[in-house]
Amino acid sequence: MDGQLQEDSLDARLRDEAPYLDDAGFTATVVQRLPQKRASSKFRATVLILVTILGSALAYVLSGGGRFIIEGIARIGSLSLLSVGLLALCSALVAMAVAGAAAWSKAR
Amino acid sequence: MELTDADLVARVLLDDDHHAFAELVRRHQSTVRGLLRQLTRTDVALADDLAQETFLRAYKHIRSFRGEARFSTWLYRIAYNCFREDARRRKELVGIDEAKWQAEQDPQTVDPALRHDLMQALQTLPLHERSAVLLCCQNGLSHDEAARVLDIPLGTVKTNVLRGREKLKRALAAWESK
């Protein structure tokens, strides 16, 4: 019991040693050093969607109604099995590199 | 109704709200700066620099706060990491600016001589015991929370608190009999 009392009084003394520190401009200094505000996520999403729609429409018009997609598919169809395999491997490697870079930058 | 820390964090996450973050800084600046002052052996300027760094890091990494622990516990962990990194950079713990520190304390709360002895006793504790005592006894963290802040096992925290307390009690034994 006496030990508990001593313990409590020691903790109380330690807490007394931590009086409230006046802000004295500390918060203002921290806020001043914060990075600039990012554009709001809603605004960013809207801009992204609009740009995507505009880009798609532009590509559709400039490519003569998307004929290039059909031509591209036909060209891939005429490739040998080895070429298609190599193309698929290269695409997978590029995708893995991009994903790895993204994971690394997020982990930093 | 006053917003909770979790509400303010949510506002920062949602709208990058600087006002909400400022409120979090206002609420926790005293305890974070106080802890760092004790860890840096009362080097006020260094402690405040580290406290600023703590809050800037907290802002930068606020997405990693998942609300599993109290916001203050999460802040203490960042503060302790800032302190450790700085100490490692300097390769030695900083000197004492006790006169300046004493001048900023409220002279009414405790007998100045007792305060002096307690401060001296605290500063003689090794860092691992001092950190554990400061977090658990002074800042009211549970042993579990302190273990998370200091990134050491729970049993080690308990041992460090026990040993630190014993040393402080021994150092202040003369005051107990008064």
Side-chain angles (χ1 to χ4, degrees):
Chain A
M1 187 69 188
D2 189 41
Q4 180 64 44
L5 272 175
Q6 274 191 6
E7 207 160 89
D8 290 347
S9 73
L10 183 66
D11 287 6
R13 273 178 195 162
L14 280 165
R15 279 193 295 274
D16 284 342
E17 276 306 307
Y20 182 81
L21 295 176
D22 189 40
D23 188 275
F26 179 84
T27 301
T29 312
V30 172
V31 172
Q32 224 169 25
R33 289 183 59 192
L34 291 180
Q36 286 289 320
K37 275 184 104 167
R38 299 182 293 264
S40 85
S41 51
K42 269 185 193 167
F43 178 72
R44 274 189 297 169
T46 310
V47 167
L48 206 65
I49 289 167
L50 283 177
V51 166
T52 307
I53 292 170
L54 193 71
S56 304
L58 205 64
Y60 186 79
V61 170
L62 292 178
S63 68
R67 202 184 311 142
F68 75 100
I69 298 173
I70 298 158
E71 284 171 5
I73 291 169
R75 203 174 297 158
I76 289 173
S78 66
L79 288 175
S80 69
L81 196 64
L82 183 70
S83 305
V84 174
L86 278 174
L87 194 66
L89 183 70
C90 288
S91 305
L93 286 174
V94 169
M96 275 168 64
V98 170
W104 180 74
S105 76
K106 196 163 187 180
R108 264 197 324 164
Chain B
M1 200 181 79
E2 196 178 80
L3 293 170
T4 63
D5 284 356
D7 294 334
L8 292 168
V9 169
R11 285 188 177 198
V12 177
L13 282 170
L14 203 66
D15 283 334
D16 197 17
D17 188 339
H18 281 193
H19 294 295
F21 191 74
E23 179 56 29
L24 286 168
V25 178
R26 246 187 303 277
R27 279 184 194 181
H28 297 284
Q29 59 85 20
S30 176
T31 48
V32 170
R33 288 164 72 204
L35 174 70
L36 285 164
R37 285 184 187 194
Q38 301 279 20
L39 288 174
T40 56
R41 295 181 192 268
T42 65
D43 184 328
V44 176
L46 174 65
D48 277 7
D49 283 350
L50 291 176
Q52 279 190 27
E53 179 62 25
T54 299
F55 284 107
L56 290 173
R57 271 193 207 181
Y59 177 81
K60 202 173 157 194
H61 299 289
I62 200 149
R63 279 176 202 286
S64 66
F65 174 67
R66 299 187 206 291
E68 291 153 355
R70 283 186 290 171
F71 185 70
S72 57
T73 308
W74 186 69
L75 272 180
Y76 290 151
R77 169 141 202 182
I78 298 174
Y80 186 70
N81 283 341
C82 285
F83 163 74
R84 263 205 322 204
E85 282 166 30
D86 182 75
R88 216 175 290 142
R89 262 200 306 271
R90 289 163 185 265
K91 298 234 168 122
E92 58 172 3
L93 293 183
V94 291
I96 296 174
D97 190 4
E98 197 164 352
K100 195 172 176 187
W101 187 83
Q102 290 283 3
E104 290 191 15
Q105 304 303 303
D106 174 8
Q108 304 302 314
T109 51
V110 186
D111 182 333
L114 172 57
R115 169 184 291 139
H116 179 265
D117 284 359
L118 182 55
M119 280 304 302
Q120 289 288 101
L122 254 181
Q123 302 309 330
T124 57
L125 294 183
L127 179 60
H128 56 279
E129 288 173 5
R130 188 156 33 109
S131 319
V133 167
L134 286 171
L135 288 171
C136 294
C137 306
Q138 192 171 63
N139 290 287
L141 266 67
S142 67
H143 289 151
D144 197 40
E145 288 173 320
R148 256 179 275 162
V149 170
L150 301 171
D151 199 18
I152 53 176
L154 178 62
T156 312
V157 172
K158 286 180 181 172
T159 308
N160 288 343
V161 170
L162 200 70
R163 285 188 186 152
R165 261 200 183 124
E166 282 305 316
K167 286 180 188 170
L168 287 181
K169 268 189 226 166
R170 245 177 281 140
L172 299 174
W175 287 95
E176 292 296 333
S177 54
K178 281 182 186 176

